[in-house]
Amino acid sequence: MSKTLIVLNAGSSSIKFVVFDVTEGKPVNMATGQVEGLGASVSRFTAKDGEGQSLGEKDFDKASGAISTHTQAVDLILKWIDDTFPGTEVVAVGHRVVHGGVRFTKPVQINDDVVAALEELTPLAPLHQPHNVAGIRAAQAAFPGVPQVAVFDTSFHRGHPFVNDTFAIPREYYNEGVRRYGFHGVSYEYVTRRLKQIAPLDAEGRVVIAHLGNGASMCAVRYGHSIASTMGFSALDGLPMGTRCGNLDAGVLLYLLDQKGLSSSEIREILYSKSGLLGLSGISQDMRELEASDKREAREAIDYFVFRVRREVGALSAALDGLDAMVFCGGIGENSWRVRERVLQGMQWIGIDLDEEANHRNARLISSPLSRVRVYIVRTNEGLMIAEHTLTVLGLAAPEIQAFSADGTAAQRPSA
Ligand code: ADP
C-alpha cells in the first residue's frame, strides 16, 4: 500500500491542498487542488496532477449539497483522494499556519496544547489564524489518529535582531507581542534551500529574496538565515500587493479614523481589500491585466510597485552590509520579465547587471557574466516545503531530507 501525505492551507473562503506520495520518504507531487467559495452560493472543487493537467472539477450549490464549512471541504477532499488514489494510506497531514507568535520557531507536531496556543494567537492574525485552526480541527476529525504538523509563515524570521523585530512605540507593546514577525517564511525557506543546491556559495552570502505574488514581500537572508523582512506585525506592511496597501504612514490611519470617521472594519476593508495594485489602478489587482492595459492608472500602479521593490533592494542590502545575490519568486517574480527588468534597470551601482535576453526567457540566472551580484529566478514551492517539514518532524523523512532539515528553521539571533 502506498503512503500519502496531505498539505492543507485553510483560508477564510477556501482550502488549498496538495497530495504527495511519500512511500519512499521523499514527497512526490500527485495532485494539487482547492475548494473555493466556502459559504458562498456556489462552491467549486478543482484538482490538477503534478504536471498541471486537470484531474477534475465540480461545482456545488444548494441542489448538489452546498459546501459551507472547513469540515465539509476537508471531507470532500478526503473522499476525492480515496476515489482518485485507491489503495493509499494517509500517513500525515501538514498545515500551513500563518502565525506562530514568538513561541513557535520551527514546525511542530499538533496536539491539544498546540491548538490552544494557536487559538491564543488569533488577536495577532484575526483574519487568518481562526481559519487555519478550523482547518486543523476539520482534518483531525477527518483523519483520526493520523499525525498532523503545523508549519508557520513566521518561523523563518524569528531570529531577527531586535532592531528588525520591534517598532519604536512604548516597550510594553513589544513585550506583549507587537513585533515585526514577517511572513511568507515557508516560501523564503524553500527558496533559500533551493539556492543552496543551485548556487551554494551565493546561498552562504548576503541575499535579497523578492516574493512577488498577489501577496508580496522581500526578505534579507544572511548565511541562510532571515535577518529582515518588509512585512511586519501584519501581512499589510512593506510592498504594495494585489489589494493590500503595503507601507503606510500611521498618521493616515489616524486621519481615516478621526477626520473621515471610518470604523476599524471599514479601514480594514480598505487596507486589505481595496488598496495596492487594485486601489491605485482602479482596474485590477492582477499584474497581467495591468501590464496589458494602456490606461495611465494601470501604468502608475505598476510604477509604484516597481519603485517600492527597488527601494527595498537598497534598504535590505544596507541591512545585510552588502549584496551577493538576489532571487525573484512568486507569480510576478517568476513570470513578469517586465517587472524584473524595471526593478533591475540602472542597478549597476549595487553590482547588478541584467542579462536582458535571459530575463525575457525567465531563465534561472538572469544577471550577466559581468554582474558582481548574481540574480536568480527560483520557482517557489511552499507545499513541498511543508511536506518535507512534516515528514521530518514525524521522523518519516528519507535521510537526505532529514539532513537538510537539521539546519533548523529560525536563525540564531545575530547581533544587530
Ligand atoms: P498568490 O500570492 O495568490 O500565491 P501568485 O504567486 O500566484 O499569487 O501571483 C499572482 C500574481 O502573479 C498576479 O498578479 C498575476 O497577474 C501575476 N502573474 C502570473 N503570471 C504572470 C505573467 N506571465 N506576467 C505577469 N504577471 C503574472
Side-chain angles (χ1 to χ4, degrees):
M1 193 182 235
S2 64
K3 293 180 178 167
T4 302
L5 180 153
I6 301 170
V7 169
L8 292 177
N9 180 0
S12 59
S13 63
S14 72
I15 292 197
K16 295 182 178 151
F17 66 93
V18 192
V19 184
F20 291 97
D21 182 298
V22 292
T23 314
E24 307 291 328
K26 281 186 270 185
V28 178
N29 187 317
M30 294 161 76
T32 303
Q34 62 179 339
V35 183
E36 33 178 359
L38 296 186
S41 52
V42 181
S43 313
R44 165 160 264 243
F45 173 90
T46 48
K48 294 180 199 159
D49 68 14
E51 264 81 56
Q53 299 295 317
S54 175
L55 286 175
E57 49 184 72
K58 190 170 177 195
D59 286 346
F60 294 85
D61 56 17
K62 254 194 184 152
S64 55
I67 310 286
S68 49
T69 64
H70 289 88
T71 304
Q72 288 168 323
V74 171
D75 286 344
L76 177 66
I77 294 166
L78 172 60
K79 181 165 183 327
W80 182 81
I81 292 171
D82 279 345
D83 292 347
T84 313
F85 307 108
T88 184
E89 179 198 2
V90 175
V91 294
V93 181
H95 294 269
R96 180 180 186 165
V97 177
V98 156
H99 222 300
V102 292
R103 169 171 164 185
F104 296 109
T105 57
K106 48 186 173 185
V108 63
Q109 183 165 356
I110 295 171
N111 57 27
D112 290 348
D113 169 53
V114 169
V115 175
L118 295 182
E119 258 177 343
E120 275 174 27
L121 291 171
T122 294
L124 297 183
L127 300 184
H128 295 100
Q129 199 81 347
H131 308 298
N132 294 163
V133 172
I136 290 172
R137 290 232 156 89
Q140 284 175 324
F143 308 98
V146 173
Q148 318 228 354
V149 170
V151 181
F152 303 95
D153 262 319
T154 47
S155 297
F156 188 62
H157 304 294
R158 283 318 304 147
H160 284 184
F162 176 75
V163 292
N164 284 333
D165 194 33
T166 192
F167 301 97
I169 56 176
R171 193 133 189 160
E172 69 219 51
Y173 295 108
Y174 177 80
N175 295 337
E176 72 174 55
V178 181
R179 300 187 184 199
R180 298 186 57 88
Y181 290 98
F183 299 90
H184 287 140
V186 178
S187 173
Y188 289 128
E189 192 187 1
Y190 176 81
V191 168
T192 302
R193 289 183 180 203
R194 280 293 290 142
L195 194 63
K196 257 190 209 171
Q197 295 167 327
I198 297 166
L201 282 179
D202 283 334
E204 284 303 308
R206 299 157 297 179
V207 185
V208 167
I209 306 174
H211 177 113
L212 309 179
N214 232 335
S217 72
M218 290 167 69
C219 180
V221 174
R222 185 161 61 196
Y223 317 137
H225 297 298
S226 167
I227 63 151
S229 157
T230 60
M231 274 186 177
F233 176 66
S234 71
L236 278 180
D237 202 6
L239 304 177
M241 303 172 222
T243 61
R244 284 176 254 161
C245 57
N247 177 253
L248 185 73
D249 178 343
V252 175
L253 283 184
L254 297 176
Y255 173 82
L256 295 177
L257 272 169
D258 296 341
Q259 306 302 324
K260 306 296 284 185
L262 298 186
S263 67
S264 64
S265 59
E266 286 168 325
I267 295 176
R268 183 177 303 117
E269 174 75 7
I270 291 173
L271 301 185
Y272 275 95
S273 311
K274 294 184 171 168
S275 296
L277 294 175
L278 175 65
L280 271 180
S281 69
I283 297 170
S284 173
Q285 67 183 72
D286 194 283
M287 184 58 84
R288 267 171 300 198
E289 276 186 48
L290 296 181
E291 286 186 338
S293 167
D294 53 13
K295 297 237 168 64
R296 179 173 59 90
E297 291 82 359
R299 201 187 62 235
E300 286 177 350
I302 301 176
D303 287 349
Y304 183 78
F305 183 83
V306 167
F307 171 70
R308 299 303 307 200
V309 176
R310 286 170 63 87
R311 261 182 77 132
E312 292 298 340
V313 174
L316 294 174
S317 298
L320 287 166
D321 298 326
L323 184 65
D324 298 307
M326 188 175 167
V327 184
F328 286 90
C329 62
I332 299 170
E334 292 165 20
N335 300 303
S336 176
W337 64 265
R338 288 185 187 83
V339 167
R340 288 191 309 262
E341 185 174 280
R342 291 192 54 199
V343 165
L344 299 176
Q345 251 162 13
M347 283 235 176
Q348 284 81 3
W349 65 273
I350 207 170
I352 295 177
D353 189 59
L354 182 67
D355 178 339
E356 289 186 10
E357 187 273 327
N359 184 46
H360 274 234
R361 281 190 286 117
N362 295 333
R364 176 179 285 169
L365 179 69
I366 60 170
S367 50
S368 82
L370 296 176
S371 192
R372 190 187 57 74
V373 172
R374 264 89 37 215
V375 185
Y376 300 91
I377 300 173
V378 173
R379 299 208 172 270
T380 195
N381 194 337
E382 289 152 303
L384 181 60
M385 189 76 258
I386 295 169
E388 290 190 0
H389 273 310
T390 302
L391 290 177
T392 303
V393 167
L394 299 175
L396 301 172
E400 60 266 39
I401 292 176
Q402 293 271 14
F404 220 28
S405 300
D407 295 354
T409 302
Q412 298 300 310
R413 184 181 291 271
S415 55

PDB file of all heavy atoms in Angstrom, residues 16 184 211-216 277 285-289 291 330-333 335-338 382, ligand 1:
ATOM      1  N   LYS A  16      -6.849  25.088   0.214  1.00  0.00           N
ATOM      2  CA  LYS A  16      -5.988  24.566  -0.846  1.00  0.00           C
ATOM      3  C   LYS A  16      -5.342  23.287  -0.322  1.00  0.00           C
ATOM      4  O   LYS A  16      -5.069  23.184   0.885  1.00  0.00           O
ATOM      5  CB  LYS A  16      -4.905  25.582  -1.201  1.00  0.00           C
ATOM      6  CG  LYS A  16      -5.495  26.842  -1.813  1.00  0.00           C
ATOM      7  CD  LYS A  16      -4.420  27.822  -2.209  1.00  0.00           C
ATOM      8  CE  LYS A  16      -5.072  29.031  -2.854  1.00  0.00           C
ATOM      9  NZ  LYS A  16      -4.335  30.250  -2.692  1.00  0.00           N
ATOM     10  N   HIS A 184       5.448  34.932   4.762  1.00  0.00           N
ATOM     11  CA  HIS A 184       5.983  34.247   3.577  1.00  0.00           C
ATOM     12  C   HIS A 184       7.210  33.405   3.925  1.00  0.00           C
ATOM     13  O   HIS A 184       8.024  33.082   3.054  1.00  0.00           O
ATOM     14  CB  HIS A 184       6.387  35.234   2.458  1.00  0.00           C
ATOM     15  CG  HIS A 184       5.222  35.847   1.743  1.00  0.00           C
ATOM     16  ND1 HIS A 184       5.184  37.168   1.364  1.00  0.00           N
ATOM     17  CD2 HIS A 184       4.041  35.316   1.339  1.00  0.00           C
ATOM     18  CE1 HIS A 184       4.041  37.429   0.760  1.00  0.00           C
ATOM     19  NE2 HIS A 184       3.319  36.318   0.743  1.00  0.00           N
ATOM     20  N   HIS A 211       9.653  37.919  -2.943  1.00  0.00           N
ATOM     21  CA  HIS A 211       8.492  37.059  -3.198  1.00  0.00           C
ATOM     22  C   HIS A 211       7.380  37.973  -3.701  1.00  0.00           C
ATOM     23  O   HIS A 211       6.741  38.667  -2.907  1.00  0.00           O
ATOM     24  CB  HIS A 211       8.082  36.325  -1.914  1.00  0.00           C
ATOM     25  CG  HIS A 211       6.853  35.485  -2.091  1.00  0.00           C
ATOM     26  ND1 HIS A 211       6.866  34.114  -2.035  1.00  0.00           N
ATOM     27  CD2 HIS A 211       5.565  35.829  -2.346  1.00  0.00           C
ATOM     28  CE1 HIS A 211       5.649  33.657  -2.260  1.00  0.00           C
ATOM     29  NE2 HIS A 211       4.835  34.676  -2.440  1.00  0.00           N
ATOM     30  N   LEU A 212       7.199  38.019  -5.016  1.00  0.00           N
ATOM     31  CA  LEU A 212       6.253  38.961  -5.612  1.00  0.00           C
ATOM     32  C   LEU A 212       5.079  38.185  -6.202  1.00  0.00           C
ATOM     33  O   LEU A 212       5.169  37.634  -7.302  1.00  0.00           O
ATOM     34  CB  LEU A 212       6.939  39.792  -6.704  1.00  0.00           C
ATOM     35  CG  LEU A 212       8.254  40.476  -6.312  1.00  0.00           C
ATOM     36  CD1 LEU A 212       8.829  41.248  -7.493  1.00  0.00           C
ATOM     37  CD2 LEU A 212       8.063  41.398  -5.104  1.00  0.00           C
ATOM     38  N   GLY A 213       3.996  38.116  -5.454  1.00  0.00           N
ATOM     39  CA  GLY A 213       2.779  37.466  -5.940  1.00  0.00           C
ATOM     40  C   GLY A 213       1.616  38.367  -5.631  1.00  0.00           C
ATOM     41  O   GLY A 213       1.770  39.589  -5.518  1.00  0.00           O
ATOM     42  N   ASN A 214       0.459  37.783  -5.465  1.00  0.00           N
ATOM     43  CA  ASN A 214      -0.694  38.551  -5.015  1.00  0.00           C
ATOM     44  C   ASN A 214      -0.389  39.189  -3.669  1.00  0.00           C
ATOM     45  O   ASN A 214      -0.677  40.348  -3.412  1.00  0.00           O
ATOM     46  CB  ASN A 214      -1.865  37.604  -4.872  1.00  0.00           C
ATOM     47  CG  ASN A 214      -3.048  38.113  -5.600  1.00  0.00           C
ATOM     48  OD1 ASN A 214      -3.183  39.321  -5.816  1.00  0.00           O
ATOM     49  ND2 ASN A 214      -3.910  37.205  -5.973  1.00  0.00           N
ATOM     50  N   GLY A 215       0.182  38.359  -2.785  1.00  0.00           N
ATOM     51  CA  GLY A 215       0.819  38.878  -1.573  1.00  0.00           C
ATOM     52  C   GLY A 215       2.283  39.080  -1.935  1.00  0.00           C
ATOM     53  O   GLY A 215       2.839  38.281  -2.682  1.00  0.00           O
ATOM     54  N   ALA A 216       2.904  40.140  -1.449  1.00  0.00           N
ATOM     55  CA  ALA A 216       4.291  40.388  -1.853  1.00  0.00           C
ATOM     56  C   ALA A 216       5.101  40.873  -0.668  1.00  0.00           C
ATOM     57  O   ALA A 216       4.615  41.670   0.151  1.00  0.00           O
ATOM     58  CB  ALA A 216       4.339  41.428  -2.977  1.00  0.00           C
ATOM     59  N   LEU A 277      -2.346  47.306  -5.858  1.00  0.00           N
ATOM     60  CA  LEU A 277      -2.478  47.485  -7.316  1.00  0.00           C
ATOM     61  C   LEU A 277      -3.919  47.803  -7.692  1.00  0.00           C
ATOM     62  O   LEU A 277      -4.175  48.651  -8.551  1.00  0.00           O
ATOM     63  CB  LEU A 277      -2.025  46.206  -8.035  1.00  0.00           C
ATOM     64  CG  LEU A 277      -0.540  45.839  -7.914  1.00  0.00           C
ATOM     65  CD1 LEU A 277      -0.278  44.483  -8.572  1.00  0.00           C
ATOM     66  CD2 LEU A 277       0.344  46.911  -8.551  1.00  0.00           C
ATOM     67  N   GLN A 285      -6.358  43.869  -9.609  1.00  0.00           N
ATOM     68  CA  GLN A 285      -5.267  43.513  -8.706  1.00  0.00           C
ATOM     69  C   GLN A 285      -4.246  42.632  -9.421  1.00  0.00           C
ATOM     70  O   GLN A 285      -3.225  42.268  -8.858  1.00  0.00           O
ATOM     71  CB  GLN A 285      -5.810  42.752  -7.499  1.00  0.00           C
ATOM     72  CG  GLN A 285      -6.372  41.377  -7.848  1.00  0.00           C
ATOM     73  CD  GLN A 285      -6.950  40.694  -6.641  1.00  0.00           C
ATOM     74  OE1 GLN A 285      -7.998  41.065  -6.135  1.00  0.00           O
ATOM     75  NE2 GLN A 285      -6.253  39.676  -6.155  1.00  0.00           N
ATOM     76  N   ASP A 286      -4.557  42.264 -10.649  1.00  0.00           N
ATOM     77  CA  ASP A 286      -3.785  41.255 -11.360  1.00  0.00           C
ATOM     78  C   ASP A 286      -2.729  41.916 -12.242  1.00  0.00           C
ATOM     79  O   ASP A 286      -3.054  42.707 -13.126  1.00  0.00           O
ATOM     80  CB  ASP A 286      -4.750  40.423 -12.212  1.00  0.00           C
ATOM     81  CG  ASP A 286      -4.099  39.157 -12.699  1.00  0.00           C
ATOM     82  OD1 ASP A 286      -3.304  39.220 -13.643  1.00  0.00           O
ATOM     83  OD2 ASP A 286      -4.377  38.102 -12.086  1.00  0.00           O
ATOM     84  N   MET A 287      -1.462  41.580 -11.998  1.00  0.00           N
ATOM     85  CA  MET A 287      -0.374  42.226 -12.739  1.00  0.00           C
ATOM     86  C   MET A 287      -0.501  42.007 -14.238  1.00  0.00           C
ATOM     87  O   MET A 287      -0.233  42.903 -15.030  1.00  0.00           O
ATOM     88  CB  MET A 287       0.970  41.697 -12.215  1.00  0.00           C
ATOM     89  CG  MET A 287       2.177  42.350 -12.813  1.00  0.00           C
ATOM     90  SD  MET A 287       2.216  44.149 -12.580  1.00  0.00           S
ATOM     91  CE  MET A 287       2.934  44.304 -10.949  1.00  0.00           C
ATOM     92  N   ARG A 288      -0.947  40.804 -14.645  1.00  0.00           N
ATOM     93  CA  ARG A 288      -1.079  40.551 -16.083  1.00  0.00           C
ATOM     94  C   ARG A 288      -2.051  41.522 -16.726  1.00  0.00           C
ATOM     95  O   ARG A 288      -1.803  42.055 -17.797  1.00  0.00           O
ATOM     96  CB  ARG A 288      -1.566  39.118 -16.334  1.00  0.00           C
ATOM     97  CG  ARG A 288      -0.440  38.142 -16.532  1.00  0.00           C
ATOM     98  CD  ARG A 288      -0.950  36.741 -16.548  1.00  0.00           C
ATOM     99  NE  ARG A 288      -1.615  36.435 -15.281  1.00  0.00           N
ATOM    100  CZ  ARG A 288      -1.871  35.210 -14.841  1.00  0.00           C
ATOM    101  NH1 ARG A 288      -1.549  34.185 -15.586  1.00  0.00           N
ATOM    102  NH2 ARG A 288      -2.449  35.015 -13.681  1.00  0.00           N
ATOM    103  N   GLU A 289      -3.183  41.760 -16.042  1.00  0.00           N
ATOM    104  CA  GLU A 289      -4.181  42.686 -16.607  1.00  0.00           C
ATOM    105  C   GLU A 289      -3.633  44.098 -16.666  1.00  0.00           C
ATOM    106  O   GLU A 289      -3.880  44.831 -17.627  1.00  0.00           O
ATOM    107  CB  GLU A 289      -5.452  42.678 -15.755  1.00  0.00           C
ATOM    108  CG  GLU A 289      -6.384  41.551 -16.113  1.00  0.00           C
ATOM    109  CD  GLU A 289      -7.690  41.667 -15.347  1.00  0.00           C
ATOM    110  OE1 GLU A 289      -8.283  42.761 -15.318  1.00  0.00           O
ATOM    111  OE2 GLU A 289      -8.098  40.650 -14.762  1.00  0.00           O
ATOM    112  N   GLU A 291      -0.489  44.963 -16.919  1.00  0.00           N
ATOM    113  CA  GLU A 291       0.532  45.052 -17.981  1.00  0.00           C
ATOM    114  C   GLU A 291      -0.130  45.144 -19.358  1.00  0.00           C
ATOM    115  O   GLU A 291       0.418  45.745 -20.277  1.00  0.00           O
ATOM    116  CB  GLU A 291       1.472  43.843 -17.919  1.00  0.00           C
ATOM    117  CG  GLU A 291       2.444  43.925 -16.744  1.00  0.00           C
ATOM    118  CD  GLU A 291       3.482  42.805 -16.754  1.00  0.00           C
ATOM    119  OE1 GLU A 291       3.242  41.760 -17.381  1.00  0.00           O
ATOM    120  OE2 GLU A 291       4.535  42.988 -16.110  1.00  0.00           O
ATOM    121  N   GLY A 330       7.504  33.870  -6.696  1.00  0.00           N
ATOM    122  CA  GLY A 330       6.100  34.288  -6.676  1.00  0.00           C
ATOM    123  C   GLY A 330       5.616  34.527  -8.109  1.00  0.00           C
ATOM    124  O   GLY A 330       6.426  34.622  -9.046  1.00  0.00           O
ATOM    125  N   GLY A 331       4.307  34.613  -8.290  1.00  0.00           N
ATOM    126  CA  GLY A 331       3.720  34.698  -9.633  1.00  0.00           C
ATOM    127  C   GLY A 331       4.296  35.822 -10.479  1.00  0.00           C
ATOM    128  O   GLY A 331       4.597  35.637 -11.661  1.00  0.00           O
ATOM    129  N   ILE A 332       4.476  37.010  -9.886  1.00  0.00           N
ATOM    130  CA  ILE A 332       5.043  38.139 -10.636  1.00  0.00           C
ATOM    131  C   ILE A 332       6.558  37.959 -10.770  1.00  0.00           C
ATOM    132  O   ILE A 332       7.125  38.110 -11.849  1.00  0.00           O
ATOM    133  CB  ILE A 332       4.721  39.477  -9.926  1.00  0.00           C
ATOM    134  CG1 ILE A 332       3.202  39.684  -9.848  1.00  0.00           C
ATOM    135  CG2 ILE A 332       5.398  40.641 -10.622  1.00  0.00           C
ATOM    136  CD1 ILE A 332       2.775  40.851  -8.942  1.00  0.00           C
ATOM    137  N   GLY A 333       7.197  37.618  -9.670  1.00  0.00           N
ATOM    138  CA  GLY A 333       8.660  37.469  -9.671  1.00  0.00           C
ATOM    139  C   GLY A 333       9.136  36.388 -10.634  1.00  0.00           C
ATOM    140  O   GLY A 333      10.180  36.522 -11.275  1.00  0.00           O
ATOM    141  N   ASN A 335       7.377  35.237 -13.340  1.00  0.00           N
ATOM    142  CA  ASN A 335       6.836  35.303 -14.707  1.00  0.00           C
ATOM    143  C   ASN A 335       6.895  36.649 -15.392  1.00  0.00           C
ATOM    144  O   ASN A 335       6.829  36.709 -16.614  1.00  0.00           O
ATOM    145  CB  ASN A 335       5.368  34.859 -14.694  1.00  0.00           C
ATOM    146  CG  ASN A 335       5.213  33.444 -14.182  1.00  0.00           C
ATOM    147  OD1 ASN A 335       5.808  32.531 -14.746  1.00  0.00           O
ATOM    148  ND2 ASN A 335       4.449  33.261 -13.122  1.00  0.00           N
ATOM    149  N   SER A 336       6.965  37.735 -14.656  1.00  0.00           N
ATOM    150  CA  SER A 336       6.901  39.040 -15.321  1.00  0.00           C
ATOM    151  C   SER A 336       8.297  39.579 -15.608  1.00  0.00           C
ATOM    152  O   SER A 336       8.929  40.219 -14.762  1.00  0.00           O
ATOM    153  CB  SER A 336       6.133  40.059 -14.471  1.00  0.00           C
ATOM    154  OG  SER A 336       6.194  41.310 -15.118  1.00  0.00           O
ATOM    155  N   TRP A 337       8.786  39.347 -16.860  1.00  0.00           N
ATOM    156  CA  TRP A 337      10.118  39.860 -17.203  1.00  0.00           C
ATOM    157  C   TRP A 337      10.114  41.377 -17.176  1.00  0.00           C
ATOM    158  O   TRP A 337      11.124  42.009 -16.869  1.00  0.00           O
ATOM    159  CB  TRP A 337      10.591  39.314 -18.550  1.00  0.00           C
ATOM    160  CG  TRP A 337       9.781  39.723 -19.749  1.00  0.00           C
ATOM    161  CD1 TRP A 337       8.774  39.018 -20.316  1.00  0.00           C
ATOM    162  CD2 TRP A 337       9.908  40.930 -20.513  1.00  0.00           C
ATOM    163  NE1 TRP A 337       8.260  39.704 -21.390  1.00  0.00           N
ATOM    164  CE2 TRP A 337       8.942  40.878 -21.545  1.00  0.00           C
ATOM    165  CE3 TRP A 337      10.742  42.052 -20.442  1.00  0.00           C
ATOM    166  CZ2 TRP A 337       8.784  41.902 -22.475  1.00  0.00           C
ATOM    167  CZ3 TRP A 337      10.588  43.064 -21.375  1.00  0.00           C
ATOM    168  CH2 TRP A 337       9.618  42.991 -22.383  1.00  0.00           C
ATOM    169  N   ARG A 338       8.927  41.964 -17.471  1.00  0.00           N
ATOM    170  CA  ARG A 338       8.870  43.436 -17.497  1.00  0.00           C
ATOM    171  C   ARG A 338       9.125  44.013 -16.106  1.00  0.00           C
ATOM    172  O   ARG A 338       9.895  44.955 -15.938  1.00  0.00           O
ATOM    173  CB  ARG A 338       7.501  43.904 -17.978  1.00  0.00           C
ATOM    174  CG  ARG A 338       7.262  43.691 -19.436  1.00  0.00           C
ATOM    175  CD  ARG A 338       5.927  44.288 -19.863  1.00  0.00           C
ATOM    176  NE  ARG A 338       5.614  43.950 -21.227  1.00  0.00           N
ATOM    177  CZ  ARG A 338       5.061  42.805 -21.593  1.00  0.00           C
ATOM    178  NH1 ARG A 338       4.745  41.896 -20.695  1.00  0.00           N
ATOM    179  NH2 ARG A 338       4.813  42.551 -22.868  1.00  0.00           N
ATOM    180  N   GLU A 382       5.831  26.123  -1.745  1.00  0.00           N
ATOM    181  CA  GLU A 382       5.536  26.099  -0.315  1.00  0.00           C
ATOM    182  C   GLU A 382       4.967  24.748   0.116  1.00  0.00           C
ATOM    183  O   GLU A 382       5.254  24.258   1.208  1.00  0.00           O
ATOM    184  CB  GLU A 382       4.563  27.241   0.013  1.00  0.00           C
ATOM    185  CG  GLU A 382       5.244  28.601  -0.087  1.00  0.00           C
ATOM    186  CD  GLU A 382       4.305  29.734  -0.445  1.00  0.00           C
ATOM    187  OE1 GLU A 382       3.644  29.651  -1.510  1.00  0.00           O
ATOM    188  OE2 GLU A 382       4.213  30.698   0.327  1.00  0.00           O
TER     189      GLU A 382
HETATM  190  P1  ADP B   1      -0.537  34.286  -4.561  1.00  0.00           P
HETATM  191  O1  ADP B   1       0.159  35.289  -3.707  1.00  0.00           O
HETATM  192  O2  ADP B   1      -2.032  34.389  -4.522  1.00  0.00           O
HETATM  193  O3  ADP B   1       0.004  32.887  -4.468  1.00  0.00           O
HETATM  194  P2  ADP B   1       0.776  34.251  -7.131  1.00  0.00           P
HETATM  195  O4  ADP B   1       2.122  33.996  -6.561  1.00  0.00           O
HETATM  196  O5  ADP B   1       0.138  33.172  -7.921  1.00  0.00           O
HETATM  197  O6  ADP B   1      -0.236  34.778  -6.051  1.00  0.00           O
HETATM  198  O7  ADP B   1       0.900  35.570  -8.059  1.00  0.00           O
HETATM  199  C1  ADP B   1      -0.190  36.111  -8.702  1.00  0.00           C
HETATM  200  C2  ADP B   1       0.291  37.340  -9.474  1.00  0.00           C
HETATM  201  O8  ADP B   1       1.258  36.911 -10.456  1.00  0.00           O
HETATM  202  C3  ADP B   1      -0.831  38.055 -10.232  1.00  0.00           C
HETATM  203  O9  ADP B   1      -0.695  39.449 -10.094  1.00  0.00           O
HETATM  204  C4  ADP B   1      -0.556  37.636 -11.667  1.00  0.00           C
HETATM  205  O10 ADP B   1      -1.013  38.583 -12.598  1.00  0.00           O
HETATM  206  C5  ADP B   1       0.949  37.569 -11.671  1.00  0.00           C
HETATM  207  N1  ADP B   1       1.419  36.817 -12.829  1.00  0.00           N
HETATM  208  C6  ADP B   1       1.319  35.497 -13.070  1.00  0.00           C
HETATM  209  N2  ADP B   1       1.821  35.204 -14.295  1.00  0.00           N
HETATM  210  C7  ADP B   1       2.249  36.369 -14.838  1.00  0.00           C
HETATM  211  C8  ADP B   1       2.856  36.755 -16.068  1.00  0.00           C
HETATM  212  N3  ADP B   1       3.129  35.863 -17.011  1.00  0.00           N
HETATM  213  N4  ADP B   1       3.165  38.052 -16.265  1.00  0.00           N
HETATM  214  C9  ADP B   1       2.889  38.990 -15.314  1.00  0.00           C
HETATM  215  N5  ADP B   1       2.326  38.688 -14.125  1.00  0.00           N
HETATM  216  C10 ADP B   1       1.994  37.404 -13.893  1.00  0.00           C
END
